[in-house]
Amino acid sequence: MAALSRPTLPPPTERFTLLGWLQKNLFNSWYNALLSVLTVVFIYWIIRGLLVWATSVAEWQVVAANLRLFLVGQYPVDELWRVWICLYVLAFISGASYGLWSRGVGAFGIALLAGPLFLSALPFTLNLRLLMIGIAVTGFFGWLLAMRLPALFRTPVTWSWVLYMVFVILMVRGFTPAGGFLPVVPSNLWGGLLLTFLLTVIGIVFSFPIGVALALGRRSNLPIMRYSSIAFIELVRGVPLITVLFMAQLMLPLFLPAGVTIDRVLRAMVGITLFSAAYLAENVRGGLQSIPKGQEEAALALGLNGFQRMALIILPQALRAIIPILVGQFIALFKDTTLVAIVGLFDLLGIAKTVLAQPEFIGRQAEVLAFVSLLYFMFSYVISYISRRIEVAQGVGER
Amino acid sequence: MSETSETGSEQPIIIAKDVHKWYGHFHALKGINMQVHKGEVIVIFGPSGSGKSTFIRTINRLEEHQRGQIIVDGIELTHDVRNIEKIRMETGMVFQQFNLFPHLTVMQNITLAPIWVRKWKKQKAEELAMQLLERVGIPEQAGKFPGQLSGGQQQRVAIARALAMQPKIMLFDEPTSALDPEMIKEVLDVMIELARSGMTMLVVTHEMGFARAVANRMFFFDDGQLVESGTPQEIFKSPKEDRTKLFLSQILTH
Ligand SMILES: Nc1ncnc2c1ncn2[C@@H]1O[C@H](COP(=O)(O)OP(=O)(O)OP(=O)(O)O)[C@@H](O)[C@H]1O
Ligand SMILES: [Mg+2]
């Protein structure tokens, strides 16, 4: 019987043995074996050195004592609740997104949850530790809720991320005069990780529409639009970010009417936004060029007007095609904001410099830089992980 | 067919008078004259590069003609954007490469133009879309994305998308040339049904079975010119021009 009708067989599986795995992957030839051994020795040497340094040589007092400075700079203590609210909303949307897209429990979700729980285990004040636990619970709650929702909710949740960015700006800055519900906190008090985030978020939120507009302007049939877009893009892309930041500090006031002053943080934001917009425009242009001509023709034949063709057919496809590039650009922007330290702002790196100038912490550069690097790495890694997930999700079924 | 005599007295729905088109220095259309009446099915055929695509694309102004006149449903095609928009609303087009919108579902592909151009309510547009999907035989695919469908199914969605604007004229540019042989029939069946329902159709195709079944007249294009026109009977049995004879002998022996 088996000879006549061939049964479908499962693919052969190798039984996993440690020795077998080692031989196949690490020691399959003498030079690979040598390479493996050398690498292991090298990694061991580095990790051991780091651990020894971190646990017995380093004095983390400098980080613990200045933690609030690192995180929020001079932001008034009485208004810190606004930042907490932003964090809680962030936890909720993150949890909900994770539930909606990953539909389960994964290592990444557990890591997200473990972050605040780990922090709550550190010797902070009781209040702080409770707030941390609250964040973990809120994120978990968002996840639990979203697990029951149909995929239909993905669109509103995506939009809630866009709204969230605006929300953060409003909350942190405030919009009522002193004594009101949300009094304005002047931006010279923003600092540390908070400022780094705000510079990045504002850079993204504002450079996105400007960049798209520049990309469209570059394709425009109107010569004035086209040439001014090209001039702007090429000019900004031709100089380093640091010069754009200095220009924004020095020259922006010249363009404003007398009597209007804008503070240094805002000037830096303008510089970052314009810089990012120029690069974004080129990326968007690449996306627009990748859309086959037939798409435009089909839209024309259906009678869609120019705006509809762009907004409904061409742009959505172009932007979708460049999501990975955009995320890469935004991660780069996140790290590039450190340059504002040079024009005298107290972002994460700027704060690090002031902390190191405190007499009692002279010579603690290694600890401070390690801490700051760790923060940058964590956030960059999270963003790039999410972007990889988005790519996978986009690739399924829609092409 | 018998309708030609009845519709002959009416104003033609498409009139082309001495239409010329150049691509740079290349003379792609060299004075095309023709008329199409309401309800007629026209098959356009001819060798590659003879200007078939160029010609039907001038009818909805995907290509601009540089001399002569084109009048569609009483409106002359000029630079006037409003006239162009009006004509595009009355003419549906089906492309060789389908050109479905890959980021939208089948349902969204079909309802997009009725909602945004005709300003219909979403619900009304979706009802019509479902009817059209029934008509082309794939109502169960409404929620899928184009990339999840076979070529034949995609082309049928493209036909439904064009019909959703309730056009008076349908233009087809080699609608089955990009399809695997086993899928050609399912698309042709839909087109035959559409032809029998009275739609005015201009079809660039080399599917001579389709021409025999439903064409009222056939136009033979060569070298940017309309060389010969006639009923399928006349064209297949007694072509007048040598070029037509030669071309037919080439494609019919294969
Ligand atoms: N955008 C263009 N620019 C320059 N030349 C063009 C362009 N489009 C078409 N042509 C030329 O015009 C001529 C007619 O092209 P057209 O596409 O109308 O031919 P066709 O009859 O549809 O041929 P096929 O059967 O290969 O589709 C060809 O010689 C082609 O090379
Ligand atoms: Mg062609």
Side-chain angles (χ1 to χ4, degrees):
Chain A
M1 249 169 44
L4 291 177
S5 64
R6 295 202 177 167
T8 50
L9 295 173
T13 48
E14 278 176 47
R15 271 217 293 139
F16 180 84
T17 60
L18 185 62
L19 225 63
W21 184 87
L22 284 176
Q23 193 178 12
K24 187 165 159 231
N25 291 290
L26 300 183
F27 299 103
N28 55 2
S29 66
W30 69 265
Y31 49 87
N32 274 356
L34 185 66
L35 214 56
S36 298
V37 169
L38 280 180
T39 315
V40 167
V41 169
F42 186 65
I43 293 175
Y44 170 76
W45 181 64
I46 291 197
I47 290 189
R48 185 172 163 276
L50 275 177
L51 281 181
V52 167
W53 176 78
T55 51
S56 57
V57 181
E59 292 180 20
W60 295 107
Q61 188 53 30
V62 58
V63 173
N66 293 295
L67 196 60
R68 193 158 64 80
L69 267 183
F70 277 118
L71 296 183
V72 295
Q74 308 273 4
Y75 203 83
V77 182
D78 286 345
E79 303 295 336
L80 272 182
W81 60 273
R82 302 189 199 170
V83 178
W84 281 106
I85 288 195
C86 292
L87 286 176
Y88 270 75
V89 176
L90 176 69
F92 184 79
I93 310 184
S94 303
S97 304
Y98 193 77
L100 266 175
W101 271 275
S102 86
R103 288 292 182 210
V105 206
F108 186 71
I110 291 173
L112 275 186
L113 210 60
L117 286 179
F118 170 73
L119 290 177
S120 71
L122 294 179
F124 296 121
T125 60
L126 184 63
N127 265 346
L128 219 58
R129 295 167 70 173
L130 286 180
L131 281 168
M132 284 295 177
I133 295 180
I135 286 186
V137 171
T138 311
F140 180 72
F141 182 69
W143 173 81
L144 208 61
L145 191 77
M147 287 291 284
R148 291 149 200 273
L149 294 178
L152 201 75
F153 279 81
R154 288 179 182 183
T155 314
V157 170
T158 307
W159 279 107
S160 77
W161 279 102
V162 177
L163 287 181
Y164 177 71
M165 298 201 179
V166 181
F167 172 77
V168 168
I169 297 169
L170 285 179
M171 279 302 278
V172 172
R173 180 171 183 279
F175 43 81
T176 60
F181 168 58
L182 277 182
V184 171
V185 175
S187 55
N188 57 351
L189 297 183
W190 308 356
L193 189 60
L194 178 69
L195 178 60
T196 296
F197 265 139
L198 284 169
L199 288 170
T200 311
V201 167
I202 288 180
I204 294 173
V205 168
F206 289 96
S207 72
F208 191 77
I210 299 177
V212 170
L214 282 170
L216 297 182
R218 192 165 189 166
R219 281 166 53 112
S220 160
N221 292 326
L222 307 172
I224 296 187
M225 289 274 281
R226 188 166 65 245
Y227 289 117
S228 45
S229 300
I230 293 177
F232 178 86
I233 292 170
E234 296 304 334
L235 206 68
V236 173
R237 273 161 38 97
V239 297
L241 173 57
I242 186 67
T243 58
V244 175
L245 287 175
F246 272 116
M247 298 272 256
Q249 294 296 332
L250 300 174
M251 296 185 46
L252 212 54
L254 304 181
F255 291 108
L256 295 170
V260 179
T261 56
I262 60 172
D263 61 73
R264 298 151 62 86
V265 172
L266 203 56
R267 285 182 234 167
M269 284 175 175
V270 172
I272 288 174
T273 301
L274 295 183
F275 186 79
S276 167
Y279 280 87
L280 204 127
E282 283 303 275
N283 290 332
V284 172
R285 187 166 75 113
L288 291 173
Q289 278 169 348
S290 73
I291 307 302
K293 207 158 163 283
Q295 292 291 307
E296 173 98 25
E297 288 180 353
L300 275 172
L302 285 170
L304 298 173
N305 64 32
F307 174 77
Q308 293 166 338
R309 292 197 297 275
M310 190 46 78
L312 301 172
I313 307 300
I314 309 296
L315 209 47
Q317 294 186 58
L319 294 181
R320 214 170 272 231
I322 58 167
I323 285 177
I325 302 177
L326 288 185
V327 174
Q329 198 198 322
F330 291 146
I331 292 177
L333 184 70
F334 174 61
K335 291 178 296 183
D336 283 348
T337 55
T338 44
L339 285 173
V340 300
I342 297 177
V343 293
L345 301 191
F346 298 109
D347 75 320
L348 202 43
L349 204 66
I351 289 281
K353 285 203 305 191
T354 61
V355 165
L356 286 172
Q358 294 167 359
E360 65 267 45
F361 296 122
I362 298 274
R364 295 271 78 93
Q365 281 92 337
E367 288 84 349
V368 168
L369 284 177
F371 175 68
V372 168
S373 305
L374 186 69
L375 281 182
Y376 274 112
F377 170 74
M378 268 170 26
F379 289 106
S380 303
Y381 185 77
V382 168
I383 303 174
S384 80
Y385 174 87
I386 293 169
S387 99
R388 283 201 302 275
R389 295 299 299 261
I390 294 178
E391 272 170 68
V392 172
Q394 293 287 344
V396 175
E398 302 200 9
R399 274 278 151 185
Chain B
M1 288 201 167
S2 59
E3 291 99 318
T4 24
S5 55
E6 295 166 19
T7 51
S9 56
E10 277 178 44
Q11 158 93 340
I13 193 164
I14 303 173
I15 304 171
K17 280 185 204 158
D18 192 32
V19 171
H20 288 261
K21 163 87 193 166
W22 287 264
Y23 289 112
H25 289 290
F26 179 72
H27 202 173
L29 295 180
K30 304 174 178 170
I32 307 291
N33 285 293
M34 56 124 234
Q35 298 190 342
V36 178
H37 291 273
K38 204 163 183 306
E40 266 194 308
V41 176
I42 308 286
V43 162
I44 298 175
F45 67 111
S48 179
S50 58
K52 308 177 298 288
S53 299
T54 307
F55 177 67
I56 73 163
R57 288 157 61 89
T58 57
I59 292 171
N60 65 351
R61 196 67 160 196
L62 288 186
E63 303 287 352
E64 200 176 299
H65 61 285
Q66 286 125 339
R67 221 169 86 191
Q69 257 188 325
I70 299 177
I71 300 167
V72 180
D73 198 25
I75 306 169
E76 179 170 1
L77 270 171
T78 58
H79 287 289
D80 188 334
V81 181
R82 273 165 308 162
N83 281 353
I84 296 174
E85 277 174 6
K86 260 187 230 152
I87 287 173
R88 284 189 182 144
M89 280 172 76
E90 305 302 340
T91 49
M93 187 162 212
V94 176
F95 300 86
Q96 183 175 355
Q97 301 296 340
F98 326 139
N99 295 352
L100 292 176
F101 305 129
H103 62 302
L104 302 177
T105 62
V106 166
M107 178 55 87
Q108 290 167 333
N109 263 277
I110 300 175
T111 56
L112 184 85
I115 290 174
W116 288 90
V117 182
R118 289 234 187 261
K119 313 284 181 208
W120 281 10
K121 287 258 183 313
K122 187 173 173 214
Q123 196 199 344
K124 182 179 172 192
E126 286 186 347
E127 277 167 18
L128 175 70
M130 273 324 286
Q131 283 171 19
L132 288 170
L133 281 174
E134 302 262 358
R135 190 167 169 192
V136 300
I138 38 175
E140 71 284 357
Q141 312 288 357
K144 289 199 185 162
F145 286 93
Q148 296 169 303
L149 303 184
S150 73
Q153 291 171 328
Q154 290 192 46
Q155 194 61 299
R156 287 187 278 162
V157 172
I159 294 174
R161 178 178 71 177
L163 289 176
M165 283 293 283
Q166 303 191 313
K168 294 183 179 159
I169 302 163
M170 286 282 287
L171 308 173
F172 294 81
D173 191 358
E174 307 210 30
T176 56
S177 301
L179 295 177
D180 291 338
E182 73 270 20
M183 296 173 187
I184 292 178
K185 185 174 177 297
E186 65 189 47
V187 172
L188 286 181
D189 284 346
V190 169
M191 290 170 59
I192 289 172
E193 186 269 326
L194 188 62
R196 296 203 165 124
S197 77
M199 176 64 76
T200 309
M201 292 165 64
L202 259 70
V203 186
V204 176
T205 185
H206 292 142
E207 293 294 334
M208 291 304 154
F210 172 82
R212 278 204 187 85
V214 291
N216 300 99
R217 282 188 293 155
M218 297 174 70
F219 292 168
F220 175 64
F221 270 56
D222 192 12
D223 192 24
Q225 289 163 316
L226 204 177
V227 174
E228 180 166 1
S229 71
T231 64
Q233 278 246 326
E234 292 163 356
I235 295 285
F236 290 124
K237 292 262 167 62
S238 49
K240 292 195 249 343
E241 302 288 331
D242 290 341
R243 283 194 271 179
T244 319
K245 275 179 212 160
L246 183 66
F247 183 74
L248 280 173
S249 72
Q250 282 165 353
I251 60 167
L252 290 180
T253 49
H254 288 311

